PDB file of all heavy atoms in Angstrom:
ATOM      1  N   GLU A 137       9.980  55.525  -7.452  1.00 97.00           N
ATOM      2  CA  GLU A 137      10.776  54.489  -6.792  1.00 97.00           C
ATOM      3  C   GLU A 137      11.005  53.279  -7.696  1.00 97.00           C
ATOM      4  O   GLU A 137      10.164  52.921  -8.521  1.00 97.00           O
ATOM      5  CB  GLU A 137      10.078  54.034  -5.510  1.00 97.00           C
ATOM      6  CG  GLU A 137       9.983  55.131  -4.456  1.00 97.00           C
ATOM      7  CD  GLU A 137       9.040  54.799  -3.322  1.00 97.00           C
ATOM      8  OE1 GLU A 137       8.233  53.849  -3.464  1.00 97.00           O
ATOM      9  OE2 GLU A 137       9.091  55.498  -2.294  1.00 97.00           O
ATOM     10  N   VAL A 138      12.160  52.648  -7.497  1.00 98.00           N
ATOM     11  CA  VAL A 138      12.487  51.404  -8.192  1.00 98.00           C
ATOM     12  C   VAL A 138      12.794  50.342  -7.137  1.00 98.00           C
ATOM     13  O   VAL A 138      13.520  50.588  -6.177  1.00 98.00           O
ATOM     14  CB  VAL A 138      13.688  51.571  -9.146  1.00 98.00           C
ATOM     15  CG1 VAL A 138      14.903  52.131  -8.438  1.00 98.00           C
ATOM     16  CG2 VAL A 138      14.030  50.234  -9.819  1.00 98.00           C
ATOM     17  N   LEU A 139      12.220  49.171  -7.314  1.00 98.00           N
ATOM     18  CA  LEU A 139      12.505  48.040  -6.443  1.00 98.00           C
ATOM     19  C   LEU A 139      13.650  47.227  -7.046  1.00 98.00           C
ATOM     20  O   LEU A 139      13.569  46.795  -8.190  1.00 98.00           O
ATOM     21  CB  LEU A 139      11.266  47.151  -6.306  1.00 98.00           C
ATOM     22  CG  LEU A 139      11.466  45.828  -5.554  1.00 98.00           C
ATOM     23  CD1 LEU A 139      11.779  46.094  -4.089  1.00 98.00           C
ATOM     24  CD2 LEU A 139      10.236  44.935  -5.688  1.00 98.00           C
ATOM     25  N   ILE A 140      14.720  47.045  -6.277  1.00 97.00           N
ATOM     26  CA  ILE A 140      15.835  46.209  -6.720  1.00 97.00           C
ATOM     27  C   ILE A 140      15.909  44.994  -5.808  1.00 97.00           C
ATOM     28  O   ILE A 140      16.176  45.103  -4.615  1.00 97.00           O
ATOM     29  CB  ILE A 140      17.177  46.971  -6.700  1.00 97.00           C
ATOM     30  CG1 ILE A 140      17.112  48.170  -7.649  1.00 97.00           C
ATOM     31  CG2 ILE A 140      18.318  46.038  -7.092  1.00 97.00           C
ATOM     32  CD1 ILE A 140      18.406  48.957  -7.736  1.00 97.00           C
ATOM     33  N   LEU A 141      15.641  43.836  -6.400  1.00 97.00           N
ATOM     34  CA  LEU A 141      15.657  42.581  -5.664  1.00 97.00           C
ATOM     35  C   LEU A 141      17.080  42.016  -5.694  1.00 97.00           C
ATOM     36  O   LEU A 141      17.648  41.823  -6.767  1.00 97.00           O
ATOM     37  CB  LEU A 141      14.675  41.607  -6.316  1.00 97.00           C
ATOM     38  CG  LEU A 141      14.142  40.443  -5.492  1.00 97.00           C
ATOM     39  CD1 LEU A 141      13.504  40.930  -4.197  1.00 97.00           C
ATOM     40  CD2 LEU A 141      13.127  39.658  -6.320  1.00 97.00           C
ATOM     41  N   VAL A 142      17.646  41.779  -4.516  1.00 97.00           N
ATOM     42  CA  VAL A 142      19.044  41.348  -4.412  1.00 97.00           C
ATOM     43  C   VAL A 142      19.108  39.877  -4.009  1.00 97.00           C
ATOM     44  O   VAL A 142      18.609  39.485  -2.947  1.00 97.00           O
ATOM     45  CB  VAL A 142      19.813  42.191  -3.377  1.00 97.00           C
ATOM     46  CG1 VAL A 142      21.278  41.754  -3.321  1.00 97.00           C
ATOM     47  CG2 VAL A 142      19.713  43.677  -3.711  1.00 97.00           C
ATOM     48  N   GLY A 143      19.724  39.051  -4.874  1.00 95.00           N
ATOM     49  CA  GLY A 143      19.865  37.637  -4.591  1.00 95.00           C
ATOM     50  C   GLY A 143      21.321  37.217  -4.530  1.00 95.00           C
ATOM     51  O   GLY A 143      22.217  37.976  -4.906  1.00 95.00           O
ATOM     52  N   HIS A 144      21.538  35.996  -4.080  1.00 95.00           N
ATOM     53  CA  HIS A 144      22.902  35.482  -3.943  1.00 95.00           C
ATOM     54  C   HIS A 144      23.581  35.328  -5.292  1.00 95.00           C
ATOM     55  O   HIS A 144      24.710  35.760  -5.504  1.00 95.00           O
ATOM     56  CB  HIS A 144      22.891  34.149  -3.201  1.00 95.00           C
ATOM     57  CG  HIS A 144      24.254  33.605  -2.906  1.00 95.00           C
ATOM     58  ND1 HIS A 144      25.001  32.896  -3.833  1.00 95.00           N
ATOM     59  CD2 HIS A 144      25.025  33.681  -1.792  1.00 95.00           C
ATOM     60  CE1 HIS A 144      26.154  32.550  -3.297  1.00 95.00           C
ATOM     61  NE2 HIS A 144      26.199  33.010  -2.056  1.00 95.00           N
ATOM     62  N   GLY A 145      22.894  34.676  -6.249  1.00 93.00           N
ATOM     63  CA  GLY A 145      23.447  34.491  -7.580  1.00 93.00           C
ATOM     64  C   GLY A 145      24.426  33.332  -7.652  1.00 93.00           C
ATOM     65  O   GLY A 145      24.632  32.588  -6.687  1.00 93.00           O
ATOM     66  N   SER A 146      25.049  33.174  -8.816  1.00 93.00           N
ATOM     67  CA  SER A 146      26.000  32.094  -9.043  1.00 93.00           C
ATOM     68  C   SER A 146      26.993  32.512 -10.115  1.00 93.00           C
ATOM     69  O   SER A 146      26.642  33.210 -11.067  1.00 93.00           O
ATOM     70  CB  SER A 146      25.270  30.825  -9.493  1.00 93.00           C
ATOM     71  OG  SER A 146      26.182  29.802  -9.835  1.00 93.00           O
ATOM     72  N   SER A 147      28.216  32.053  -9.965  1.00 90.00           N
ATOM     73  CA  SER A 147      29.242  32.332 -10.978  1.00 90.00           C
ATOM     74  C   SER A 147      29.261  31.261 -12.073  1.00 90.00           C
ATOM     75  O   SER A 147      30.033  31.371 -13.027  1.00 90.00           O
ATOM     76  CB  SER A 147      30.628  32.410 -10.309  1.00 90.00           C
ATOM     77  OG  SER A 147      30.913  31.208  -9.604  1.00 90.00           O
ATOM     78  N   HIS A 148      28.427  30.244 -11.951  1.00 92.00           N
ATOM     79  CA  HIS A 148      28.397  29.154 -12.927  1.00 92.00           C
ATOM     80  C   HIS A 148      27.448  29.474 -14.076  1.00 92.00           C
ATOM     81  O   HIS A 148      26.298  29.869 -13.848  1.00 92.00           O
ATOM     82  CB  HIS A 148      27.960  27.851 -12.263  1.00 92.00           C
ATOM     83  CG  HIS A 148      28.903  27.355 -11.212  1.00 92.00           C
ATOM     84  ND1 HIS A 148      30.082  26.711 -11.515  1.00 92.00           N
ATOM     85  CD2 HIS A 148      28.843  27.412  -9.852  1.00 92.00           C
ATOM     86  CE1 HIS A 148      30.712  26.386 -10.397  1.00 92.00           C
ATOM     87  NE2 HIS A 148      29.989  26.812  -9.378  1.00 92.00           N
ATOM     88  N   ASP A 149      27.934  29.299 -15.298  1.00 89.00           N
ATOM     89  CA  ASP A 149      27.076  29.487 -16.467  1.00 89.00           C
ATOM     90  C   ASP A 149      25.892  28.529 -16.392  1.00 89.00           C
ATOM     91  O   ASP A 149      26.022  27.381 -15.978  1.00 89.00           O
ATOM     92  CB  ASP A 149      27.863  29.229 -17.756  1.00 89.00           C
ATOM     93  CG  ASP A 149      28.917  30.287 -18.026  1.00 89.00           C
ATOM     94  OD1 ASP A 149      28.805  31.383 -17.447  1.00 89.00           O
ATOM     95  OD2 ASP A 149      29.861  30.003 -18.789  1.00 89.00           O
ATOM     96  N   GLY A 150      24.752  29.010 -16.842  1.00 92.00           N
ATOM     97  CA  GLY A 150      23.538  28.209 -16.768  1.00 92.00           C
ATOM     98  C   GLY A 150      22.795  28.468 -15.473  1.00 92.00           C
ATOM     99  O   GLY A 150      21.597  28.772 -15.483  1.00 92.00           O
ATOM    100  N   PHE A 151      23.492  28.386 -14.362  1.00 93.00           N
ATOM    101  CA  PHE A 151      22.878  28.673 -13.069  1.00 93.00           C
ATOM    102  C   PHE A 151      22.645  30.169 -12.910  1.00 93.00           C
ATOM    103  O   PHE A 151      21.607  30.591 -12.408  1.00 93.00           O
ATOM    104  CB  PHE A 151      23.754  28.142 -11.934  1.00 93.00           C
ATOM    105  CG  PHE A 151      23.804  26.649 -11.870  1.00 93.00           C
ATOM    106  CD1 PHE A 151      24.825  25.951 -12.499  1.00 93.00           C
ATOM    107  CD2 PHE A 151      22.830  25.938 -11.192  1.00 93.00           C
ATOM    108  CE1 PHE A 151      24.879  24.561 -12.443  1.00 93.00           C
ATOM    109  CE2 PHE A 151      22.866  24.553 -11.130  1.00 93.00           C
ATOM    110  CZ  PHE A 151      23.889  23.866 -11.763  1.00 93.00           C
ATOM    111  N   ARG A 152      23.630  30.976 -13.331  1.00 94.00           N
ATOM    112  CA  ARG A 152      23.472  32.431 -13.238  1.00 94.00           C
ATOM    113  C   ARG A 152      22.254  32.895 -14.028  1.00 94.00           C
ATOM    114  O   ARG A 152      21.485  33.743 -13.561  1.00 94.00           O
ATOM    115  CB  ARG A 152      24.734  33.123 -13.752  1.00 94.00           C
ATOM    116  CG  ARG A 152      24.662  34.654 -13.658  1.00 94.00           C
ATOM    117  CD  ARG A 152      25.922  35.308 -14.196  1.00 94.00           C
ATOM    118  NE  ARG A 152      26.113  35.048 -15.627  1.00 94.00           N
ATOM    119  CZ  ARG A 152      26.997  34.197 -16.123  1.00 94.00           C
ATOM    120  NH1 ARG A 152      27.788  33.499 -15.333  1.00 94.00           N
ATOM    121  NH2 ARG A 152      27.111  34.024 -17.428  1.00 94.00           N
TER     122      ARG A 152
END
Side-chain angles (χ1 to χ4, degrees):
E137 295 167 345
V138 55
L139 173 67
I140 299 182
L141 201 55
V142 182
H144 185 278
S146 175
S147 57
H148 296 282
D149 291 341
F151 291 94
R152 181 181 64 255

